[in-house]
């Protein structure tokens, strides 16, 4: 399967935007690239940009492999992509709003009822609930892949607590340090505004009763969370407090944080704690991560949670397959970004097809993430396929299947020099009161194993900087 | 700032300070125990080390006899002792980790390095040399931490809380060592102290690293009366109760200025300080040295509670 290459297209001709980089790659001494790579690794380690458990004693602090060859998107490509992303987040918001209010999409037969009501991430507590400015998804990480010059597919809509944006920012920081000469010859659109944009977005969605300069905080599960680095990084960049559940308390349906100057009212919480853990009085009583009474304050309209509670109903892989219909229904527009064709195994015909073609398809759990709980048919051995077949038959509605896509590739520095590896892209889309903001770029993840399609960091994938060239 | 952040900084400083104090106490006990008994050396140096660190009761739950081996093990390494050096450093590091971004790199490294060194130590077979090297490292780490904080932290609330932790802990430590040795420091006419000699008094000074400076200040041989004066009332002596309270009131005032509000902690600290400024040694002795120190320890403890109540919860 010859994949489309971001630099060389399908026919080996260097594509617009990549001309200078390609010339540079052809002439730059290998030793210099190796030096820069070592230096990058050193910087990542020194700054402490680590993934996975920061915690326990001798601890396994892992670095996500970083590839120093940037991935480039021409201005026009980005313009088209970002229009599609904007459309996507608008539709997601209208859909979730509808799920918890009028349910027109269900009544019109666009989305089957049981998909919503039997979904464990559906939150009945949010029924009939208005959220400030009717915005549910404030921060979305929309994963896209590309198969040819024109076609981006959305792979997944992450509408709960998408992570990785710290890598987008740190990757850029490190590239600027390592390759100032490349930045001098390219007009790379800056991503550095992301923290400002995020803060502006958070402030814009404060409850209407909040003061003109509302107090925003970032709620983390704490030190032992695998994304703790990102949480503290963002809180620092935004200049807001990084709080844990025990730093907050609720009194008279108002949320306060405990400060050295006494209780301080909190208006907006960018929470990186899942629904299940935010309020032990409403959700899991055994959790100490959350804040007792937070849901009450939220329902009373005294605090904004970003993202809202219950947005999981839009980021599961079964709902994903309905997104094109959802976009048409709510916006009356054709989807700009395509969905990967998807068989919903809950439908008997689809299930039959999937069971017959397991060795051609990728099968995923509807709630799975991080590359777990999936079958990549063409790469799987007989035993794996058979055991998956059993799982599928046992609980078909828990699975969807998709064709294996020819993900685009991009040049990377590997052992043998510059070689093509499969990539995807996660841009971060912000929805505030005054519209959608997207910084030009995102996190490009790369499957560093030759031929591999799995880009997840938990599966040994790496990242690289993503350059959107200025107009 | 978040109360939790302030609380972590404050306790981080206290535990680093406490680890250093325990290290010093062990060194002095070792030195005293090696002296022939005719020079004042005695086997109960180990008991008094336990008493000075406030660990005697806990110790006797686990051991019968206070010997060099058992006390060193208990005070330096035992996981059963909540205030062993090892536990102090564990707690210090976990506090430091929780507030990484509020610390400067140098402060983090000071705490993390000693913690790493601790992990490498084989605690089961340590001879006296190795123990001493370890105690030296602990003192070094504390100096490094203290120095890094004073050179690298921004002068604002986070720094003031960190300093408060040091000084409240330091005052407590000095008071405790005085309390354990108070019978040595009674006025000369008292017969109780008469039999004990020079080495015992100097041990008190050594414990707080003040023997040389004592000579500079008093230009006299070590006399119990003067030792007490030095460690309680002399503001030039950085570990004296008076000096600790000079600093404590200063940092509490700076906090009050930054926050625009005074509270019980400021008032209480000021009253403790003015008592230390206005009292004379004669009065302390006539009222009972032990009673005075016990009163101070209670007052200092109360200040800790007030700081916590006012800022940290």
């Amino acid at each position: 399967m010859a994949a489309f290459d971001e630099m060389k297209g399908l026919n080996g001709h260097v594509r617009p935007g990549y001309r200078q980089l390609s010339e540079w790659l052809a002439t730059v001494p290998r030793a210099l690239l190796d030096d820069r790579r070592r230096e990058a690794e050193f910087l990542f380690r020194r700054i402490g940009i680590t993934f996975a458990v920061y915690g326990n004693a001798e601890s396994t602090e892992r670095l996500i492999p970083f590839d120093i060859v940037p991935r480039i998107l021409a201005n026009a490509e980005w313009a088209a992509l970002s229009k599609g992303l904007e459309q996507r987040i608008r539709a997601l918001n209208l859909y979730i709003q509808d799920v918890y209010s009028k349910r027109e999409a269900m009544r019109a037969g666009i989305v089957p009822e049981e998909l919503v009501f039997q979904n464990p991430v559906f939150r009945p507590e949010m029924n009939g609930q208005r959220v400030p400015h009717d915005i549910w998804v404030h921060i979305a990480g929309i994963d896209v892949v590309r198969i040819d010059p024109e076609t981006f597919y959305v792979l997944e809509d992450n509408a709960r607590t998408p992570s990785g944006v710290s890598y987008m920012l740190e990757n850029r920081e490190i590239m600027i340090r390592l390759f100032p000469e490349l930045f001098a010859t390219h007009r790379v659109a800056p991503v550095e505004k992301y923290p400002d944009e995020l803060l502006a977005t958070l402030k814009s969605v404060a409850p209407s009763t909040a003061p003109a300069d509302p107090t925003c905080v970032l709620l983390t599960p704490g030190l032992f969370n695998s994304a703790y680095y990102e949480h503290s990084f963002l809180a620092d960049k935004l200049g807001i407090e990084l709080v844990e559940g025990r730093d907050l308390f609720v009194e008279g349906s108002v949320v306060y944080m405990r400060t050295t100057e006494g209780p301080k009212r909190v208006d907006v919480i960018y929470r990186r704690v899942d629904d299940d853990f935010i309020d032990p009085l409403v959700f899991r009583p055994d959790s100490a991560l959350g804040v007792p009474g937070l849901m009450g304050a939220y329902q009373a309209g005294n605090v904004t949670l970003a993202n809202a509670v219950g947005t999981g109903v839009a980021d599961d892989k079964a709902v994903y397959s309905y997104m094109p219909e959802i976009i048409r229904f709510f916006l009356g527009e054709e989807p700009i970004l395509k969905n990967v064709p998807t068989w919903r195994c809950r439908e008997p015909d689809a299930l039959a097809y999937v069971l017959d073609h397991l060795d051609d398809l990728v099968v995923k759990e509807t709630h799975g993430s991080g590359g777990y709980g999936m079958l990549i048919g063409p790469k799987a051995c007989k035993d794996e396929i058979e055991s998956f077949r059993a799982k599928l038959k046992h609980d078909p509605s828990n699975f969807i299947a998709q064709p294996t896509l020819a993900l685009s590739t991009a040049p990377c520095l590997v052992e043998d020099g510059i070689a093509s590896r499969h990539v995807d892209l996660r841009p971060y889309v912000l929805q505030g009161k005054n519209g959608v903001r997207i910084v030009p770029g995102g996190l490009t993840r790369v499957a560093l194993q030759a031929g591999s399609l799995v880009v997840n960091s938990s599966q040994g994938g790496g990242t690289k900087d993503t350059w959107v060239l200025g107009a | 700032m978040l109360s939790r952040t302030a609380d972590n900084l404050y306790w981080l400083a206290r535990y680093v300070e406490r680890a250093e104090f325990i290290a010093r106490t062990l060194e002095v006990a070792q030195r005293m125990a090696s002296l022939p008994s005719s020079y004042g050396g005695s086997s109960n140096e180990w008991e008094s080390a336990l008493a000075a660190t406030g660990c005697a009761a806990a110790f006797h739950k686990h051991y019968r006899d206070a010997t060099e081996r058992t006390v060193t093990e208990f005070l330096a390494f035992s996981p059963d002792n909540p205030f062993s050096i090892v536990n102090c450093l564990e707690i210090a590091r976990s506090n430091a980790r929780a507030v990484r971004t509020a610390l400067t790199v140098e402060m983090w490294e000071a705490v993390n390095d000693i913690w790493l060194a601790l992990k490498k130590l084989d605690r089961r077979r340590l001879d006296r040399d190795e123990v001493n090297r370890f105690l030296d490292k602990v003192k070094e780490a504390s100096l490094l931490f203290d120095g890094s904080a004073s050179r690298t932290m921004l002068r604002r609330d986070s720094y003031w809380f960190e300093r408060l932790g040091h000084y409240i802990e330091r005052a407590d430590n000095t008071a405790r060592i005085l309390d354990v040795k108070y019978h040595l420091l009674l006025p000369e006419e008292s017969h109780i102290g008469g039999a004990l000699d020079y080495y015992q008094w100097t041990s008190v000074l050594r414990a707080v690293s003040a023997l040389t400076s004592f000579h500079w200040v008093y230009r006299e041989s070590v006399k119990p009366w003067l030792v007490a004066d030095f460690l309680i009332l002399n503001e030039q002596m950085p570990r004296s109760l008076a000096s600790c309270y000079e600093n404590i009131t200063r940092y509490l005032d700076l906090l009050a200025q930054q926050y625009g509000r005074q509270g019980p902690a400021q008032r209480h600290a000021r009253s403790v300080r003015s008592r230390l400024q206005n009292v004379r040694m004669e009065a302390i002795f006539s009222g009972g040295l032990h009673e005075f120190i016990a009163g101070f320890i209670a007052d200092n403890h109360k200040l800790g509670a007030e700081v916590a109540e006012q800022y940290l919860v």
Side-chain angles (χ1 to χ4, degrees):
Chain A
M1 196 161 47
F4 168 75
D5 188 73
E6 301 278 339
M7 182 162 83
K8 292 182 183 163
L10 279 166
N11 52 17
H13 293 307
V14 173
R15 302 182 56 252
Y18 265 101
R19 196 177 48 77
Q20 283 158 308
L21 185 73
S22 139
E23 283 166 14
W24 182 77
L25 284 174
T27 54
V28 64
R30 175 66 199 265
L32 184 132
L33 291 179
D34 286 338
D35 274 358
R36 295 286 196 270
R37 178 167 59 182
R38 272 191 294 275
E39 214 173 314
E41 197 180 308
F42 169 77
L43 288 171
F44 271 96
R45 208 173 277 288
R46 199 179 64 185
I47 304 170
I49 310 169
T50 51
F51 172 75
V53 194
Y54 185 101
N56 70 29
E58 277 72 26
S59 121
T60 49
E61 292 182 15
R62 270 203 293 150
L63 292 182
I64 295 188
F66 174 66
D67 180 62
I68 60 174
V69 183
R71 183 235 194 119
I72 296 179
L73 291 167
N75 187 263
E77 294 173 327
W78 175 255
L81 181 58
S82 59
K83 271 210 187 76
L85 296 169
E86 195 179 323
Q87 179 190 53
R88 200 88 180 179
I89 199 170
R90 281 191 287 135
L92 285 169
N93 270 307
L94 290 168
Y95 170 67
I96 300 168
Q97 162 92 343
D98 182 58
V99 162
Y100 293 108
S101 56
K102 296 182 185 155
R103 296 182 180 153
E104 283 169 354
M106 276 181 266
R107 274 191 275 135
I110 303 291
V111 179
E113 275 191 16
E114 65 272 23
L115 204 63
V116 176
F117 298 133
Q118 287 168 18
N119 194 330
V121 293
F122 171 74
R123 301 289 172 208
E125 295 81 2
M126 296 305 289
N127 279 336
Q129 195 68 44
R130 292 288 290 271
V131 294
H133 312 288
D134 291 333
I135 299 172
W136 294 70
V137 179
H138 309 85
I139 302 121
I142 296 182
D143 293 344
V144 294
V145 295
R146 186 178 204 182
I147 55 161
D148 62 42
E150 278 76 42
T151 320
F152 284 97
Y153 279 130
V154 172
L155 208 54
E156 212 172 296
D157 302 285
N158 296 286
R160 277 177 275 188
T161 55
S163 65
V165 77
S166 57
Y167 291 96
M168 170 181 90
L169 296 167
E170 293 283 31
N171 288 354
R172 175 63 53 84
E173 203 58 43
I174 280 170
M175 287 296 284
I176 289 175
R177 274 210 240 178
L178 295 185
F179 299 106
E181 67 278 18
L182 281 180
F183 282 87
T185 54
H186 289 81
R187 283 170 48 88
V188 183
V191 291
E192 289 80 351
K193 271 179 75 184
Y194 181 81
D196 286 355
E197 301 277 27
L198 176 57
L199 187 59
T201 298
L202 293 174
K203 285 187 173 177
S204 80
V205 294
S208 49
T209 51
D213 187 18
T215 301
C216 308
V217 299
L218 196 158
L219 176 64
T220 173
L223 212 51
F224 298 103
N225 186 272
S226 64
Y228 182 74
Y229 170 75
E230 173 155 305
H231 304 161
S232 64
F233 172 90
L234 281 177
D236 272 356
K237 295 275 174 193
L238 269 65
I240 62 178
E241 292 289 356
L242 177 64
V243 302
E244 295 178 19
R246 57 196 159 125
D247 298 320
L248 300 178
F249 68 95
V250 175
E251 210 174 271
S253 291
V254 171
V255 184
Y256 297 93
M257 65 175 153
R258 301 174 210 274
T259 82
T260 51
E261 294 171 83
K264 180 158 194 221
R265 186 172 175 157
V266 170
D267 304 301
V268 181
I269 302 177
Y270 175 25
R271 46 90 173 221
R272 296 291 294 261
V273 173
D274 289 337
D275 287 355
D276 274 341
F277 302 99
I278 57 168
D279 184 347
L281 300 182
V282 178
F283 303 114
R284 292 180 51 157
D286 57 333
S287 165
L289 298 176
V291 186
L294 181 55
M295 273 303 281
Y298 184 47
Q299 285 162 330
N302 290 334
V303 68
T304 300
L305 295 181
N307 290 344
V309 173
T311 56
V313 291
D315 86 351
D316 111 351
K317 292 185 177 73
V319 175
Y320 160 85
S321 68
Y322 295 93
M323 276 307 286
E325 289 96 319
I326 288 173
I327 291 172
R328 285 185 204 105
F329 182 76
F330 285 105
L331 302 177
E333 297 169 7
E334 271 308 297
I336 299 170
L337 299 174
K338 291 195 164 72
N339 255 34
V340 181
T342 301
W343 288 273
R344 304 157 184 147
C345 301
R346 53 197 302 282
E347 296 168 4
D349 292 355
L351 177 65
Y353 178 87
V354 171
L355 289 172
D356 281 349
H357 296 84
L358 276 179
D359 42 7
D360 289 335
L361 299 173
V362 177
V363 188
K364 299 174 178 172
E365 280 184 27
T366 49
H367 303 298
S369 70
Y372 296 105
M374 63 193 278
L375 174 81
I376 302 176
K379 307 251 167 190
C381 68
K382 256 203 151 58
D383 286 356
E384 284 173 283
I385 289 186
E386 288 318 308
S387 92
F388 230 85
R389 186 186 305 280
K391 280 201 233 174
L392 251 175
K393 283 182 175 161
H394 175 70
D395 185 12
S397 62
N398 193 27
F399 294 92
I400 54 127
Q402 294 168 335
T404 42
L405 290 179
L407 304 194
S408 66
T409 59
C412 298
L413 178 64
V414 298
E415 281 303 307
D416 318 326
I418 300 294
S420 289
R421 294 290 184 265
H422 293 292
V423 292
D424 80 349
L425 176 66
R426 173 179 289 185
Y428 296 88
V429 189
L430 300 171
Q431 169 82 61
K433 188 175 96 178
N434 308 315
V436 178
R437 301 158 191 253
I438 313 173
V439 296
L443 180 66
T444 288
R445 296 185 299 178
V446 32
L448 285 169
Q449 300 284 348
S452 168
L453 293 169
V454 184
V455 297
N456 278 300
S457 46
S458 35
Q459 309 282 320
T463 70
K464 56 163 67 207
D465 194 11
T466 311
W467 291 4
V468 172
L469 297 187
Chain B
M1 68 191 297
L2 274 186
S3 297
R4 178 171 52 87
T5 309
D7 187 59
N8 276 315
L9 282 166
Y10 169 83
W11 282 103
L12 167 58
R14 283 197 73 156
Y15 277 103
V16 169
E17 183 75 28
R18 191 174 296 177
E20 180 196 330
F21 175 67
I22 299 165
R24 287 180 177 284
T25 308
L26 276 171
E27 282 180 345
V28 171
Q30 210 179 68
R31 185 186 169 89
M32 289 307 298
S34 358
L35 289 171
S37 54
S38 57
Y39 287 101
S42 70
S43 57
N44 71 15
E45 253 334 292
W46 296 108
E47 280 291 351
S48 81
L50 289 169
T53 52
C55 295
F59 174 87
H60 288 292
K61 276 191 205 135
H62 295 275
Y63 299 91
R64 208 166 54 99
D65 297 321
T67 65
E68 174 165 2
R69 190 188 63 79
T70 55
V71 173
T72 304
E73 192 172 282
F74 191 70
L75 288 188
F77 304 113
S78 174
D80 299 326
N81 173 9
F83 300 127
S84 65
I85 293 178
V86 168
N87 273 332
C88 288
L89 295 178
E90 280 284 347
I91 300 169
R93 184 183 185 262
S94 81
N95 279 348
R97 219 156 48 92
V99 291
R100 258 305 286 276
T101 53
L103 297 180
T104 63
V105 177
E106 289 85 349
M107 292 166 77
W108 163 253
E109 283 174 356
V111 174
N112 199 41
D113 285 352
I114 183 69
W115 181 81
L116 290 171
L118 194 64
K119 295 277 139 190
K120 286 203 200 102
L121 221 54
D122 182 359
R123 300 169 201 175
R124 283 159 310 177
R125 20 181 121 256
L126 288 177
D127 61 24
R128 192 187 257 200
D129 279 352
E130 287 164 317
V131 169
N132 288 345
R133 271 198 297 278
F134 172 68
L135 297 179
D136 277 342
K137 266 193 207 160
V138 173
K139 290 193 302 181
E140 262 171 43
S142 162
L143 283 174
L144 200 58
F145 180 77
D146 206 354
S148 307
S150 100
R151 285 199 177 186
T152 57
M153 280 185 92
L154 288 176
R155 271 23 180 194
R156 57 180 190 193
D157 48 1
S158 46
Y159 183 66
W160 320 137
F161 282 113
E162 195 269 348
R163 288 290 112 170
L164 274 177
H166 278 296
Y167 285 108
I168 290 180
E169 183 66 28
R170 202 169 291 172
D172 182 73
N173 295 339
T174 300
R176 277 177 193 284
I177 201 141
L178 283 168
D179 197 35
V180 171
K181 304 285 185 185
Y182 82 94
H183 54 278
L184 304 178
L185 297 166
L186 293 176
E188 272 173 287
E189 44 283 16
S190 156
H191 292 289
I192 313 169
L196 292 149
D197 78 354
Y198 180 84
Y199 290 101
Q200 285 278 9
W201 303 324
T202 57
S203 81
V204 178
L205 290 172
R206 274 183 207 283
V208 292
S209 197
L211 186 53
T212 315
S213 39
F214 175 90
H215 292 298
W216 278 105
V217 172
Y218 296 95
R219 301 189 179 279
E220 273 204 61
S221 64
V222 176
K223 292 190 174 121
W225 184 278
L226 299 179
V227 172
D229 181 69
F230 195 40
L231 294 187
I232 296 173
L233 301 183
N234 193 314
E235 286 200 358
Q236 294 174 23
M237 163 61 197
R239 282 176 184 273
S240 72
L241 307 185
S243 165
C244 287
Y245 266 78
E246 184 200 349
N247 283 295
I248 288 168
T249 48
R250 174 147 48 96
Y251 294 125
L252 280 170
D253 285 345
L254 286 164
L255 276 173
Q257 260 171 43
Q258 180 175 331
Y259 295 158
R261 196 159 55 193
Q262 300 266 347
Q266 277 83 6
R267 288 190 288 277
H268 180 63
R270 230 175 279 129
S271 87
V272 174
R273 183 179 182 205
S274 75
R275 210 172 319 138
L276 289 166
Q277 282 172 320
N278 297 322
V279 74
R280 303 182 59 84
M281 277 320 290
E282 292 84 346
I284 292 179
F285 278 121
S286 67
L289 181 58
H290 171 68
E291 286 69 18
F292 180 84
I293 295 168
F296 175 85
I297 290 176
D299 270 337
N300 192 48
H301 183 78
K302 184 169 171 232
L303 178 68
E306 277 166 348
V307 167
E309 172 71 22
Q310 195 169 324
Y311 296 115
L312 307 180
V313 292

